[in-house]
Amino acid sequence: MLAVAEKVQMLHDEPTMKRASGPTSDVDRLSALPDGLLHTIMSFLPARQNVQTSLLSRRWRRLWRSAPRIEIDERDFGISVSTSSSTLEERWPRFENFATNMLLFHDNTSSLGEFRLRCRLHNWCHVDRWIRRGIEYCPSVLQIQILNYGLGVKLPPLVGSSSHHLKRLCLWNLIFDGRFADFLCSSCPFLEDMDLQSCDFCGIRPQGIISPMLNKLEMSHCSNKTGYPLVIMAPRLTNLCLTYGCYLAGISLCKMDSLVKAEIYIDENKTLSQKTQRELLGSLLNVTSLKLDGFEADAMMNENPDEFPTFSNMQTLDLSNCFLNEYELDYKLEALRSFIENAPCLEKLILQYCMFMSFSDSEWEIERKSMTLHPEDRYIYRCQNLKLIEVIYDHDHDHQLIELVWSLGISLPDASIKLNKIERWV
Amino acid sequence: MSESELAVIKPEALKTYIWLQCFDGSIQQVEEEVALFCPWIYREIMKNGTGSSKNHAIVLPERVNPASLSLILDYCRFHQVTGRSNKERKSFDEKFVRIDTEKLCKLASAALGLQLRPLVDLTCGALARIIGGKTPDEVRDIFHLPDDLTEEEKLEPLKNINDDPTIRLLNRLYAKKRKELQERQKLKDVQTEKEQKDERSLDELLCFINGDGGSRGGKAAKNKKKNKRRKDQAKNPAKANAEPANKEGAACVVQCKADNGNISRLPHQSPDLQDDIEYPFDEADLDDGLDPAMREEIDREVADFEMKLNLVWGERMLLEQEQRVESHVNKAKVQLTGAAAPDALAYEFFSCVQLREKGLIYAVFSRGTKGEIYTVAISC
């Protein structure tokens, strides 16, 4: 009998039967700890070991099932970026079995603290189920990271009632349709922190991120594939980070009254059109600290004094990889001036690898031997509070750095300029 | 001197001290800024104003013993200084938790009592590092955990299997037919969608579970042996399985999408198989949960399963199963909602058949509120 044979085998494997309790000095301290502490310990262990704790002793038998955190990660099963497809075929079924069964037997159905899923889209059917199951758990922290390098999976419809606990949402590589916007708007009243990476907003309706309590928003490499501008309306947003992506259909920030810190990284051709860039800058009124990467002179040039609003709170402006196109240095500085004159409180300006490319296009370009600088042409910027300008560069090509520093020095006589050479690609 | 003068001078000797009393009665004094680093002590001082003198010492919660307290105060003393770099703090923390496990457990408990969250995380992390990567025997050794899961308990599921004649028959049958099915599978591979091998064998399995419980109504025509008792089920599973597999959004049991495709196929190919499948059930008891008698609410203990734990912990684990007998509940009610199923459907798991094979596959039969019968399989 198969079963009997196995039973016998098990007995052989475990030579000691029920173990007598040891000497009195060996007291079991671990099990005396309250459930909460044991759950905290288990939260440091990978999901597989969590389940395996059920074999330790009676106390631990059902403990994993009420743990406040579910974390399913394909890396626990040896599946990583570099796994070959044959190894994947071997390992994926085990991972799949584990994940499915774990979700089946986990008890904490109504108030899970965290649900984290990280896997690739090897079998859509199952992954989709796990996502749905995770959402049903009403966690406070929901993190779904699909690693499919190019393909996204459509986010399953998020039924409204289950998300009142949601405070932190982290989604990678998912495709949103119009329902996501509705969901955020109406069903996540307490959402504070959102992190989207490589997500796509698709569909024929205009979409947006409208969230009453959102505090921190990070969007990285997302794209807006609807024909309409993506609307972000988050009156409590203090921290915004927009990194690359594609918003050629537009993106507009509304009601950013609480915004304290904003970081925007763009790639001029792909991310935002120039018009959008200007609009975006215009909507960042209240920021205290602004970091821009990839902007060009045309976007920042403020010819008409009323075009840009006043950045009344801005104290730090950090520009990296800006003003790198072919225009004259004078024009670029003019654009910079026109921008920072709108920030009367500006105290610190940082220019990282700006104004000039640090390598030359052609090998035989001859460096200038002399340079003529005209002090009388210089216009003094009206920035009373600007005390520190930090210029970070890695290579001074054709003495452009000298020209830059000189121009800045003349235009902003009250500010001290700090030069820092930091290699970018070591 | 007046207090204000004292405050102004404040030499080393006149530092403010807080008095703390452990549950065993011992009192000690500690510098104020160190004590205030613990949220619990902070709250006590703010709320009750105690601690300023020996007579009015703050009584600490019971779980804080003197040894742990002194460790905690060392921790606070180090971390409350603001000027330290992250590196310094990290290396202090690493050294701090290099104590034996018993002390570590007590420390974790004490930290929890004083609500010192960073220390709780630090100690729990250290305990987790000790537990991580070890077999249960090793962990039991280190922490002196009682090995109170009896062999009988661990082998319980196997016992159940042995007792059930149906399952024994099924086991034999399955073992016999598995090869045949696998061979047939290779032929089908070209036509069918890409599914994993696990699932494929699962489908076959499901198939003949269904086959006996309810083979496709239409296709039953081929089979002369078809009993009347199976006619009622015949149509239901056919429909029932078609729907949930497609519509179910948030099922909490696994259903293979390929169910439908395969289930309908098999009867065509193997009338012999079907004969064989039905055979045991003709003879089997009525309380195997597969015949229409189940409609009369057969009380059967629903066993819970724990999934098969992976090979990491030795061969024993490969085969080890734990089936929890829900003695207090005969039927587990599961609430399902899903996008395609706007009304919540309650499923009752009222019987389960556990089949033994290397992969340990369970089949659970459940009935929806409308009386449809679903077959669901979970593979381990």
Side-chain angles (χ1 to χ4, degrees):
Chain A
M1 219 1 172
L2 198 62
V4 172
E6 284 176 15
K7 187 170 178 175
V8 170
Q9 186 176 15
M10 274 197 215
L11 289 174
H12 283 320
D13 281 343
E14 176 89 0
T16 56
M17 294 293 282
K18 200 167 180 193
R19 202 181 292 180
S21 54
T24 46
S25 63
D26 296 337
V27 184
D28 176 11
R29 296 257 170 244
L30 190 62
S31 302
L33 296 175
D35 279 359
L37 273 183
L38 294 181
H39 281 147
T40 309
I41 296 175
M42 282 162 60
S43 69
F44 288 97
L45 295 169
R48 249 168 132 182
Q49 282 230 276
N50 264 354
V51 176
Q52 288 170 343
T53 59
S54 61
L55 288 175
L56 286 176
S57 76
R58 212 170 227 127
R59 168 101 172 85
W60 289 80
R61 264 230 313 203
R62 306 200 202 310
L63 214 48
W64 71 272
R65 294 166 64 141
S66 52
R69 194 165 164 221
I70 296 180
E71 181 162 358
I72 299 175
D73 191 332
E74 65 174 16
R75 291 175 294 187
D76 290 343
F77 284 79
I79 302 173
S80 69
V81 179
S82 51
T83 312
S84 67
S85 48
S86 53
T87 333
L88 184 65
E89 287 302 323
E90 183 194 303
R91 292 183 187 169
W92 180 268
R94 290 198 293 187
F95 170 61
E96 197 180 280
N97 277 338
F98 176 83
T100 310
N101 285 308
M102 180 182 195
L103 293 177
L104 181 63
F105 292 115
H106 201 94
D107 276 344
N108 206 341
T109 47
S110 56
S111 61
L112 191 69
E114 296 184 14
F115 180 83
R116 292 175 201 252
L117 172 67
R118 185 198 157 102
C119 66
R120 67 187 61 193
L121 206 57
H122 189 70
N123 182 338
W124 175 83
C125 180
H126 282 109
V127 177
D128 182 65
R129 266 191 214 115
W130 300 336
I131 296 175
R132 286 170 196 265
R133 187 75 182 126
I135 293 167
E136 259 188 28
Y137 276 123
C138 316
S140 306
V141 173
L142 180 65
Q143 183 168 305
I144 299 173
Q145 298 172 329
I146 306 294
L147 313 163
N148 235 57
Y149 315 115
L151 291 170
V153 61
K154 191 137 177 268
L155 185 71
L158 302 161
V159 181
S161 59
S162 58
S163 307
H164 283 272
H165 298 278
L166 198 60
K167 275 203 166 156
R168 187 164 188 276
L169 185 60
C170 174
L171 303 172
W172 287 14
N173 243 312
L174 293 171
I175 298 175
F176 304 137
D177 56 19
R179 287 179 288 189
F180 181 67
D182 294 336
F183 165 72
L184 281 182
C185 180
S186 54
S187 310
C188 298
F190 304 111
L191 187 64
E192 287 175 7
D193 190 337
M194 187 149 80
D195 179 1
L196 304 174
Q197 271 201 43
S198 307
C199 293
D200 291 337
F201 292 83
C202 297
I204 49 173
R205 293 164 43 194
Q207 288 189 42
I209 294 176
I210 301 168
S211 179
M213 296 286 280
L214 194 63
N215 214 333
K216 184 159 181 265
L217 176 62
E218 200 173 314
M219 284 172 64
S220 177
H221 298 95
C222 297
S223 51
N224 177 15
K225 292 188 175 156
T226 66
Y228 302 90
L230 188 71
V231 175
I232 300 181
M233 189 184 317
R236 299 264 184 110
L237 196 68
T238 57
N239 226 310
L240 172 69
C241 180
L242 204 64
T243 314
Y244 305 118
C246 177
Y247 303 98
L248 292 175
I251 182 170
S252 83
L253 309 176
C254 309
K255 281 210 185 141
M256 293 276 151
D257 302 330
S258 315
L259 200 59
V260 169
K261 186 164 177 231
E263 288 183 23
I264 305 183
Y265 292 66
I266 66 168
D267 175 345
E268 214 194 5
N269 303 320
K270 270 176 48 183
T271 315
L272 298 172
S273 70
Q274 210 179 79
K275 181 163 170 282
T276 322
Q277 287 174 33
R278 297 172 75 87
E279 281 171 7
L280 202 67
L281 291 175
S283 54
L284 301 171
L285 291 184
N286 294 318
V287 285
T288 307
S289 148
L290 179 62
K291 179 166 165 72
L292 302 174
D293 185 304
F295 281 75
E296 292 296 337
D298 289 325
M300 294 174 76
M301 179 63 99
N302 191 13
E303 273 146 13
N304 195 340
D306 294 331
E307 214 168 322
F308 274 143
T310 312
F311 294 92
S312 35
N313 297 332
M314 187 151 74
Q315 289 176 0
T316 312
L317 178 62
D318 185 340
L319 304 173
S320 55
N321 300 306
C322 291
F323 303 114
L324 290 178
N325 58 13
E326 297 290 319
Y327 296 163
E328 291 282 332
L329 184 64
D330 281 348
Y331 181 68
K332 294 178 189 178
L333 288 173
E334 183 64 26
L336 179 62
R337 177 195 67 79
S338 67
F339 189 72
I340 64 179
E341 279 189 347
N342 271 347
C345 300
L346 192 65
E347 291 173 11
K348 186 169 176 194
L349 174 66
I350 304 172
L351 298 171
Q352 295 188 51
Y353 315 108
C354 288
M355 300 298 177
F356 55 89
M357 302 284 249
S358 49
F359 52 87
S360 72
D361 283 343
S362 55
E363 284 179 359
W364 48 82
E365 202 177 291
I366 303 167
E367 286 205 340
R368 288 182 284 191
K369 291 279 168 29
S370 69
M371 197 190 304
T372 320
L373 303 164
H374 300 277
E376 53 278 1
D377 289 347
R378 288 291 147 214
Y379 178 89
I380 296 190
Y381 295 8
R382 287 192 300 260
C383 299
Q384 290 124 337
N385 290 319
L386 187 57
K387 296 291 171 235
L388 176 62
I389 302 175
E390 192 175 333
V391 179
I392 299 174
Y393 69 101
D394 56 358
H395 177 67
D396 178 20
H397 170 71
D398 199 32
H399 311 293
Q400 293 183 70
L401 180 67
I402 298 172
E403 207 176 341
L404 172 64
V405 175
W406 188 86
S407 309
L408 286 174
I410 295 280
S411 317
L412 291 153
D414 296 329
S416 55
I417 302 179
K418 184 170 143 185
L419 284 179
N420 226 331
K421 181 169 179 179
I422 302 175
E423 294 288 340
R424 256 186 297 191
W425 301 291
V426 228
Chain B
M1 279 196 213
S2 69
E3 255 193 36
S4 51
E5 284 173 292
L6 273 172
V8 165
I9 305 172
K10 213 156 188 165
E12 195 58 50
L14 292 174
K15 238 197 215 175
T16 339
Y17 285 89
I18 302 287
W19 297 86
L20 304 171
Q21 179 178 7
C22 294
F23 71 96
D24 66 351
S26 61
I27 302 181
Q28 56 175 304
Q29 66 175 28
V30 74
E31 300 92 327
E32 190 185 25
E33 61 267 15
V34 174
L36 289 177
F37 198 72
C38 294
W40 191 89
I41 297 179
Y42 181 88
R43 265 191 282 274
E44 280 296 305
I45 294 178
M46 291 300 140
K47 226 177 17 171
N48 301 338
T50 44
S52 48
S53 74
K54 201 166 181 181
N55 296 331
H56 302 291
I58 300 176
V59 180
L60 297 174
E62 211 181 290
R63 53 172 83 235
V64 183
N65 61 328
S68 303
L69 179 64
S70 64
L71 281 172
I72 292 179
L73 292 175
D74 287 338
Y75 180 86
C76 294
R77 199 166 286 124
F78 182 87
H79 279 281
Q80 56 95 17
V81 176
T82 42
R84 301 198 198 272
S85 72
N86 281 342
K87 220 177 168 183
E88 283 179 1
R89 289 179 197 269
K90 252 193 152 177
S91 72
F92 173 85
D93 285 347
E94 271 169 41
K95 289 195 205 111
F96 189 72
V97 285
R98 279 192 220 152
I99 51 182
D100 67 80
T101 56
E102 199 178 304
K103 283 209 195 92
L104 203 52
C105 290
K106 285 194 186 154
L107 183 60
S109 181
L112 185 70
L114 293 179
Q115 295 167 353
L116 198 54
R117 194 72 226 178
L119 186 57
V120 172
D121 287 338
L122 179 64
T123 44
C124 288
L127 285 165
R129 276 194 295 278
I130 297 172
I131 295 175
K134 300 205 169 65
T135 67
D137 284 337
E138 288 171 359
V139 177
R140 276 191 225 115
D141 266 329
I142 296 171
F143 290 100
H144 317 296
L145 297 177
D147 186 9
D148 54 7
L149 291 172
T150 61
E151 305 307 321
E152 292 76 41
E153 282 179 297
K154 289 172 190 163
L155 296 173
E156 218 166 51
L158 302 177
K159 248 205 222 163
N160 281 344
I161 294 167
N162 294 335
D163 286 341
D164 195 325
T166 320
I167 297 168
R168 260 183 286 164
L169 286 161
L170 270 175
N171 282 342
R172 267 188 263 154
L173 193 71
Y174 182 59
K176 216 178 8 169
K177 292 298 168 186
R178 191 181 161 83
K179 253 193 210 164
E180 243 176 273
L181 297 173
Q182 278 179 346
E183 266 145 43
R184 239 173 244 129
Q185 217 34 59
K186 285 176 196 145
L187 298 171
K188 296 292 163 271
D189 262 342
V190 183
Q191 307 161 12
T192 55
E193 3 164 17
K194 258 190 195 159
E195 290 271 339
Q196 281 138 19
K197 283 189 186 156
D198 283 352
E199 272 179 44
R200 194 142 301 285
S201 55
L202 191 62
D203 294 338
E204 311 296 0
L205 190 59
L206 263 183
C207 201
F208 68 76
I209 295 164
N210 271 330
D212 78 78
S215 46
R216 311 289 123 187
K219 279 89 176 190
K222 265 196 190 180
N223 203 317
K224 309 292 186 288
K225 258 198 176 167
K226 193 113 184 65
N227 278 356
K228 281 157 204 120
R229 75 174 173 180
R230 231 156 278 111
K231 256 196 206 142
D232 345 304
Q233 299 171 359
K235 303 226 174 76
N236 285 336
K239 279 188 225 142
N241 271 316
E243 288 168 10
N246 290 328
K247 282 206 229 161
E248 230 167 64
C252 78
V253 292
V254 176
Q255 269 194 3
C256 305
K257 218 171 183 183
D259 278 358
N260 300 319
N262 286 333
I263 284 169
S264 50
R265 263 187 26 238
L266 201 57
H268 280 299
Q269 264 75 47
S270 52
D272 304 327
L273 178 61
Q274 218 160 28
D275 284 349
D276 271 346
I277 291 164
E278 290 175 34
Y279 181 68
F281 288 95
D282 281 350
E283 292 192 348
D285 289 334
L286 288 177
D287 64 343
D288 65 352
L290 298 173
D291 62 29
M294 65 183 153
R295 298 203 176 183
E296 301 161 4
E297 306 285 303
I298 299 169
D299 274 320
R300 192 168 231 262
E301 289 192 277
V302 177
D304 245 354
F305 326 117
E306 212 159 276
M307 70 193 124
K308 181 178 90 163
L309 305 171
N310 275 303
L311 308 168
V312 174
W313 278 5
E315 240 182 326
R316 176 162 78 108
M317 304 309 156
L318 190 90
L319 307 163
E320 190 160 313
Q321 286 297 314
E322 190 180 301
Q323 216 176 24
R324 181 171 60 162
V325 174
E326 298 257 22
S327 50
H328 57 289
V329 135
N330 285 328
K331 298 167 197 114
K333 278 213 164 76
V334 176
Q335 205 77 11
L336 291 180
T337 55
D343 311 315
L345 298 172
Y347 290 80
E348 289 179 355
F349 292 98
F350 54 85
S351 82
C352 84
V353 171
Q354 183 177 344
L355 299 158
R356 290 293 321 267
E357 196 17 269
K358 195 174 168 192
L360 274 172
I361 297 162
Y362 298 87
V364 176
F365 298 86
S366 64
R367 185 167 68 169
T369 48
K370 297 172 191 163
E372 330 85 303
I373 294 153
Y374 299 85
T375 312
V376 159
I378 304 155
S379 75
C380 289

